[in-house]
Amino acid sequence: MTTGLEPIFFPKSIAVIGGSEKPGTIGRALVSNLLGLEGGKKFSGSVYIVNIRGGTAFGMPVYKSILDIPYDVDLAVIAVPAKVVPTVLEECGKKSVKGAIIISAGFGETGEEGRKLEDVLNKIAKKWNFRYLGPNCLGIYNTLNNMDTIFNPSDRQDKPEPGDIAFLSQSGALGAAFLDFCSKENVGLSVFISYGNAANIDESDLIEYLGQETHTKVITMYVEGVKDGRKFYSLAKKVSLKKPIIIYKAGKTSLGERAVRSHTGSLAGNLRVFLGAVKQAGIVLVDQLMDLFACAKGFSKLPLPKNDEVIIVTNGGGAGVVTTDALAREGIKLKDISVEAQEKLREFLPASASVLNPIDILGDAPASRYKKTIEIAINEKPGALIVIALLQSPAINHNEFIKDMSELRSSIDTPLITILPGGRKAREVAMALERNNVPTYDDPETAVRVLKYLIQYSKWLRHQKTSE
Amino acid sequence: MTTGLEPIFFPKSIAVIGGSEKPGTIGRALVSNLLGLEGGKKFSGSVYIVNIRGGTAFGMPVYKSILDIPYDVDLAVIAVPAKVVPTVLEECGKKSVKGAIIISAGFGETGEEGRKLEDVLNKIAKKWNFRYLGPNCLGIYNTLNNMDTIFNPSDRQDKPEPGDIAFLSQSGALGAAFLDFCSKENVGLSVFISYGNAANIDESDLIEYLGQETHTKVITMYVEGVKDGRKFYSLAKKVSLKKPIIIYKAGKTSLGERAVRSHTGSLAGNLRVFLGAVKQAGIVLVDQLMDLFACAKGFSKLPLPKNDEVIIVTNGGGAGVVTTDALAREGIKLKDISVEAQEKLREFLPASASVLNPIDILGDAPASRYKKTIEIAINEKPGALIVIALLQSPAINHNEFIKDMSELRSSIDTPLITILPGGRKAREVAMALERNNVPTYDDPETAVRVLKYLIQYSKWLRHQKTSE
């Protein structure tokens, strides 16, 4: 069995087995996605339609079997009833496909019978020397070649632009919602993978693949249980040395574990063992679902903190206090501002400003006051800078603030996070900043959790490198 | 000293002292807000401009002193330099104003000198028998009469529509950001109050006032420290019996407390004493800043839970697991589904659906399957219902879902919360549901925390009523 998953992600040609023009079918959504017919982008390779009914669809011939296609096929995307899948997969083997994605449900997730059917599929794949993703999955959305098997209707399922974040999801539905959310928030993905039952290609294989995939900088993952714990931890540890793996683990309570069993049927496993192993492997385990997204943004846009002392610069005392509380609760230190820096700050800050940390440059601060203050703060060599701006203030020029923060961000190797509480206008500024790799959050607590995880990963990485 | 604050919130006439037409000034923003000149709504009463410079502004006469106004003035809004405020306030007394809002900064927040100046102001107000809000505040945004002293420019400060949530903020800047956020999220407010240094009218007075203010259903508050702990707790307890008070307390760590001292100069006080008293007073103390907003929405739209057992209905197993984990961590129980109800569910749900709690009606669930399932779930008499819908699924008709949930919400007295993870389309559905009083959240964890606070407040209230 080959371990190369490239043909699954970068096929030159795809056959959609179960493809159709019939409205409302998965087969239609798959074909129309790949052809770029309904708002999406056209897949960069060839697409063939296979359906037992034959005829034509979208003005193209419909082959009754993959074996009837007079061209090479790299990847088969299979969306036919479960019972038919073994036959179809055998034909795929005969056609010498290099991989398959089995969308069809009705396998291991339904019980013992279904698991046996997966064994049959595995034997076929082994015999013909290819691997497959799924079954019971949404498949792949690869922004690099527009390969898109996420079959939800385009009027209710948005898909993000290209980026450097990979997202792996054991749950297809939650994964699709995450895709949709990333699109709304303008956060780009390299690839999204819904791997379903992981009967053949499992989460460890995917982590290993993404570890060497050059477009992916950060790997994020929703997981309920892993197939092979030992394999997972050892591969994850290797990959964590190269790029961060951020995981939300569902089934962390006994009630949640029971719900996992009735959902994917996977065993959540011994949680304490899992948590310990995860920590050793350098995996960032987030505690709240939305932190997957918040961290993906922060990790992909920022350098790693070199120490765990933070400086806060704010134009609002209250927001400074809330952020200080959040840092203290997460065990992150506030850096003491040196006497020299305090003196420099006093030179241009109003008398009632605070030159201690949090540095409060007051509500009447123009953008230039932020810039001067941050330049002094950077010289203090903090592990990270948190810049809070209440943009409702009349004093601050938004465009100047965006320009200054973006320039600072690209000229320093200290992570710079902005917190911009507010509404419509604050969000516009946030979007502009994020396009320039300044991660921005609505609220202090989320920003601080992201920072906590950044510090944690950075520490692990330094520890690994010094203990080599 | 009169305790009636009505003239501060519902004046028939307002004099803006320091009012001006000069662009970029607070005086201009105050006048233009009240006259409804720049996007806002016109204040329902009379507005007069007072400025030592005299002349005209906005085509209106500018009086050199409030004493020159030939009409009665109920409320003075004062935005002149701190040193001048005592003189101006004395004139307000002579004019027999019924209240004042002192926007000007440069008082207690700057140190001992400033505190003495506040004593002077208090003597004047006592002598003339009126009360004042501030100093060092943004003042009031009252959606009932469009009285708006929030002077941030309208191109960067949105203000929400009328609603039944009051928001009190010790921090003006954070309060303004909250206003802006509520507007973006389409959550209506009754009144917003930035009370600044609370030199005369303090947070306890405001809580008491809002307790009897008929348009306010829920009171939310950002506070760093209270002026008079005993007064606050006894008044808050009385008000909590009538309507929920939801507070975010800043300065909960020793670092945060230090930051509070350098911000408002108020003492955060003994935290353990504060937390204990707050709990006894029935106050809902939220742990994260954004939970103020999340709770405001939930508490204003929902009846209180009658017990603490919850039923989850979901079309996505993964989201069901995440929600189960969140409930378990917050100590909220999942209700056991009765055998009878399980049988009823089995009658129409697909074989692979889960009729245990979380009830998983599967990804191919149409809206009608939600409705039938929820009707059965309600008969189980849970304390609350959590309905999760992954709206990316092609199976669910969004309009039908909105209609059904809205009808259910208005016909039952069980709190119904929806969780709609996703992007643009999910948000559209959320907005429609919230217009019909179905509170909706992006993520399971936030929804579950709101539910925890609802259960906590409901328990406190029942305990008070049974122990009467």
Side-chain angles (χ1 to χ4, degrees):
Chain A
M1 196 186 285
T2 167
T3 53
L5 302 187
E6 286 76 9
I8 311 263
F9 290 90
F10 291 97
K12 289 196 189 75
S13 53
I14 299 176
V16 180
I17 306 181
S20 163
E21 197 174 332
K22 195 180 162 193
T25 62
I26 291 176
R28 180 195 170 95
L30 289 169
V31 175
S32 104
N33 275 354
L34 291 169
L35 296 176
L37 297 178
E38 283 164 30
K41 293 174 191 161
K42 194 178 176 304
F43 165 59
S44 65
S46 308
V47 178
Y48 309 112
I49 307 175
V50 177
N51 193 310
I52 190 80
R53 293 193 185 111
T56 61
F58 300 104
M60 294 166 63
V62 175
Y63 302 98
K64 293 196 175 182
S65 159
I66 192 173
L67 292 168
D68 298 342
I69 300 175
Y71 311 99
D72 284 344
V73 174
D74 281 353
L75 178 71
V77 175
I78 300 171
V80 297
K83 283 180 198 166
V84 193
V85 173
T87 313
V88 159
L89 203 66
E90 181 72 29
E91 290 181 356
C92 289
K94 284 185 191 152
K95 181 68 185 169
S96 303
V97 300
K98 296 175 186 159
I101 299 175
I102 304 178
I103 306 287
S104 318
F107 293 87
E109 81 280 10
T110 61
E112 197 44 40
E113 288 268 312
R115 268 188 288 278
K116 282 183 190 155
L117 209 50
E118 288 176 358
D119 291 341
V120 174
L121 301 185
N122 281 342
K123 275 181 197 148
I124 296 167
K126 191 170 184 183
K127 179 171 112 190
W128 295 103
N129 194 33
F130 68 90
R131 303 191 66 190
Y132 69 87
L133 192 71
N136 184 32
C137 69
L138 294 179
I140 292 171
Y141 170 62
N142 185 351
T143 62
L144 293 166
N145 59 357
N146 299 319
M147 187 179 83
D148 180 5
T149 70
I150 315 305
F151 52 79
N152 289 327
S154 59
D155 64 339
R156 53 180 62 191
Q157 169 75 68
D158 289 335
K159 287 161 194 172
E161 292 296 302
D164 51 18
I165 299 159
F167 184 60
L168 275 172
S169 186
Q170 188 168 5
S171 162
L174 213 49
F178 189 82
L179 265 188
D180 200 21
F181 185 74
C182 285
S183 169
K184 175 167 85 82
E185 299 290 321
N186 290 341
V187 163
L189 294 195
S190 52
V191 61
F192 164 78
I193 310 163
S194 153
Y195 59 88
N197 295 2
N200 187 270
I201 297 172
D202 68 16
E203 58 289 326
S204 305
D205 301 322
L206 293 167
I207 290 276
E208 187 182 25
Y209 168 76
L210 292 171
Q212 46 153 33
E213 200 271 294
T214 51
H215 297 89
T216 296
K217 205 171 139 189
V218 177
I219 301 168
T220 55
M221 185 176 186
Y222 169 89
V223 67
E224 298 185 354
V226 297
K227 281 262 161 178
D228 178 342
R230 201 166 296 186
K231 179 180 169 193
F232 183 72
Y233 305 129
S234 85
L235 284 170
K237 187 171 177 178
K238 273 183 207 157
V239 171
S240 288
L241 288 168
K242 292 194 279 183
K243 49 186 96 174
I245 304 173
I246 303 162
I247 294 185
Y248 179 89
K249 161 78 175 77
K252 284 197 293 283
T253 62
S254 56
L255 270 178
E257 205 180 331
R258 196 187 71 179
V260 161
R261 276 198 299 275
S262 92
H263 178 218
T264 47
S266 61
L267 291 171
N270 184 319
L271 187 65
R272 274 181 58 191
V273 173
F274 180 85
L275 295 180
V278 151
K279 207 175 165 183
Q280 278 182 36
I283 290 173
V284 175
L285 199 71
V286 296
D287 209 42
Q288 297 190 42
L289 189 62
M290 296 300 256
D291 282 355
L292 261 189
F293 168 78
C295 280
K297 211 163 72 168
F299 276 73
S300 76
K301 292 184 191 299
L302 291 178
L304 290 174
K306 294 194 181 58
N307 64 64
D308 58 356
E309 292 188 318
V310 174
I311 296 180
I312 303 172
V313 178
T314 181
N315 68 343
V321 176
V322 175
T323 308
T324 301
D325 269 340
L327 287 170
R329 274 183 294 179
E330 299 294 359
I332 305 174
K333 292 172 211 144
L334 279 189
K335 189 167 184 72
D336 287 329
I337 309 294
S338 71
V339 177
E340 298 73 34
Q342 288 185 37
E343 280 167 6
K344 277 186 201 160
L345 290 167
R346 285 248 170 272
E347 280 173 23
F348 66 92
L349 288 180
S352 49
S354 169
V355 297
L356 301 175
N357 197 359
I359 303 176
D360 184 352
I361 62 174
L362 303 183
D364 65 348
S368 59
R369 202 186 285 168
Y370 271 100
K371 195 182 172 193
K372 278 189 190 171
T373 304
I374 293 169
E375 279 165 351
I376 293 168
I378 289 164
N379 276 334
E380 298 287 288
K381 303 203 188 311
L385 269 164
I386 295 181
V387 176
I388 305 168
L390 293 147
L391 298 171
Q392 295 76 28
S393 156
I396 185 168
N397 180 304
H398 291 179
N399 289 333
E400 197 182 331
F401 180 75
I402 292 167
K403 184 174 159 281
D404 290 346
M405 291 306 115
S406 304
E407 283 174 7
L408 279 164
R409 166 63 196 84
S410 62
S411 65
I412 59 174
D413 63 350
T414 307
L416 188 159
I417 293 178
T418 56
I419 300 173
L420 307 179
R424 199 174 39 90
K425 199 65 206 288
R427 193 180 148 81
E428 271 176 44
V429 175
M431 293 290 118
L433 284 172
E434 295 200 337
R435 277 193 292 276
N436 297 331
N437 283 324
V438 183
T440 301
Y441 302 92
D442 269 359
D443 70 305
E445 284 98 347
T446 303
V448 165
R449 286 197 304 273
V450 171
L451 194 51
K452 171 184 77 173
Y453 294 127
L454 274 168
I455 290 172
Q456 181 187 309
Y457 176 64
S458 180
K459 270 191 183 166
W460 178 84
L461 209 56
R462 272 177 283 155
H463 181 73
Q464 296 300 312
K465 289 186 176 165
T466 54
S467 64
E468 257 170 12
Chain B
M1 195 184 284
T2 166
T3 52
L5 301 186
E6 287 74 12
I8 310 262
F9 290 91
F10 291 97
K12 289 197 190 73
S13 53
I14 298 177
V16 180
I17 305 181
S20 163
E21 197 174 332
K22 196 178 162 194
T25 61
I26 291 176
R28 181 195 167 95
L30 290 169
V31 175
S32 104
N33 274 356
L34 291 169
L35 297 177
L37 297 178
E38 282 164 30
K41 292 174 192 160
K42 194 178 176 303
F43 165 60
S44 65
S46 309
V47 178
Y48 309 112
I49 307 175
V50 177
N51 195 310
I52 190 80
R53 292 193 186 115
T56 61
F58 300 105
M60 292 165 64
V62 174
Y63 303 98
K64 293 196 175 181
S65 159
I66 192 172
L67 293 168
D68 298 343
I69 300 174
Y71 311 100
D72 284 344
V73 174
D74 280 354
L75 178 71
V77 175
I78 300 171
V80 296
K83 283 180 197 165
V84 193
V85 173
T87 313
V88 158
L89 204 66
E90 181 73 27
E91 290 181 355
C92 289
K94 285 184 189 152
K95 181 68 185 171
S96 304
V97 300
K98 296 175 185 159
I101 299 177
I102 304 178
I103 305 289
S104 317
F107 292 87
E109 81 280 9
T110 62
E112 195 46 37
E113 289 268 313
R115 268 188 288 278
K116 282 183 190 156
L117 210 49
E118 288 177 358
D119 291 342
V120 173
L121 301 185
N122 281 342
K123 275 181 196 149
I124 297 168
K126 191 170 182 183
K127 179 172 114 190
W128 294 103
N129 195 33
F130 68 89
R131 303 191 66 189
Y132 69 86
L133 192 70
N136 184 31
C137 70
L138 294 179
I140 293 172
Y141 171 61
N142 185 349
T143 62
L144 293 166
N145 60 356
N146 299 318
M147 188 178 85
D148 179 5
T149 71
I150 315 305
F151 52 80
N152 289 327
S154 58
D155 64 338
R156 52 179 62 190
Q157 168 76 68
D158 289 334
K159 287 163 193 170
E161 292 295 304
D164 50 18
I165 298 161
F167 184 60
L168 276 173
S169 185
Q170 188 168 3
S171 163
L174 212 50
F178 189 82
L179 266 188
D180 201 21
F181 184 74
C182 284
S183 169
K184 176 166 84 83
E185 299 291 319
N186 290 341
V187 163
L189 294 196
S190 52
V191 61
F192 164 78
I193 310 164
S194 153
Y195 59 88
N197 296 0
N200 187 270
I201 296 171
D202 69 14
E203 58 290 325
S204 304
D205 300 322
L206 293 167
I207 290 276
E208 187 182 25
Y209 168 75
L210 293 170
Q212 46 155 34
E213 201 271 294
T214 51
H215 298 89
T216 297
K217 206 172 138 187
V218 178
I219 301 168
T220 55
M221 185 175 187
Y222 169 88
V223 68
E224 299 185 355
V226 296
K227 282 262 160 177
D228 178 344
R230 201 166 297 184
K231 179 180 169 192
F232 182 73
Y233 307 129
S234 86
L235 284 171
K237 186 169 175 180
K238 273 184 206 154
V239 171
S240 287
L241 288 168
K242 290 195 279 185
K243 49 186 93 172
I245 304 174
I246 303 162
I247 293 185
Y248 179 90
K249 161 77 175 77
K252 284 198 292 284
T253 62
S254 56
L255 271 178
E257 206 181 331
R258 198 186 69 179
V260 160
R261 276 198 300 275
S262 92
H263 179 219
T264 47
S266 61
L267 292 170
N270 183 318
L271 188 64
R272 273 181 59 191
V273 172
F274 180 85
L275 295 180
V278 151
K279 205 175 167 185
Q280 277 182 35
I283 290 172
V284 174
L285 199 70
V286 296
D287 210 41
Q288 298 189 41
L289 189 62
M290 296 300 256
D291 281 356
L292 261 189
F293 168 78
C295 280
K297 212 163 73 167
F299 276 73
S300 77
K301 292 185 191 299
L302 291 177
L304 291 173
K306 293 193 183 60
N307 65 65
D308 59 356
E309 293 189 318
V310 174
I311 295 179
I312 302 171
V313 177
T314 182
N315 68 344
V321 176
V322 176
T323 308
T324 301
D325 269 340
L327 286 169
R329 274 183 294 179
E330 300 293 358
I332 305 174
K333 292 173 210 144
L334 280 188
K335 189 167 185 72
D336 287 328
I337 309 293
S338 70
V339 176
E340 298 73 33
Q342 288 185 37
E343 280 168 5
K344 277 185 200 160
L345 289 167
R346 285 247 169 274
E347 280 173 22
F348 65 92
L349 289 180
S352 49
S354 168
V355 297
L356 301 177
N357 196 0
I359 303 174
D360 184 353
I361 63 174
L362 303 183
D364 66 347
S368 59
R369 203 185 285 168
Y370 271 100
K371 194 180 173 194
K372 276 189 190 171
T373 304
I374 294 169
E375 281 166 349
I376 293 168
I378 289 165
N379 276 333
E380 297 289 287
K381 304 200 188 313
L385 268 165
I386 295 180
V387 176
I388 304 167
L390 294 147
L391 298 171
Q392 296 75 28
S393 156
I396 185 168
N397 180 303
H398 291 178
N399 289 333
E400 196 181 332
F401 180 75
I402 293 167
K403 184 172 160 282
D404 289 347
M405 291 307 115
S406 304
E407 284 175 5
L408 278 164
R409 166 64 196 83
S410 62
S411 66
I412 59 174
D413 63 352
T414 307
L416 188 159
I417 292 178
T418 55
I419 300 173
L420 307 179
R424 197 175 41 90
K425 200 64 205 289
R427 192 179 147 81
E428 271 175 45
V429 174
M431 292 290 118
L433 284 172
E434 295 201 337
R435 276 193 292 276
N436 297 331
N437 284 323
V438 183
T440 300
Y441 301 92
D442 270 359
D443 70 304
E445 284 98 347
T446 303
V448 164
R449 286 197 303 274
V450 171
L451 194 51
K452 171 184 76 172
Y453 294 126
L454 273 168
I455 289 171
Q456 181 187 309
Y457 175 65
S458 179
K459 268 189 185 167
W460 178 85
L461 209 56
R462 271 177 284 156
H463 181 73
Q464 295 301 311
K465 289 187 176 163
T466 54
S467 63
E468 258 172 11

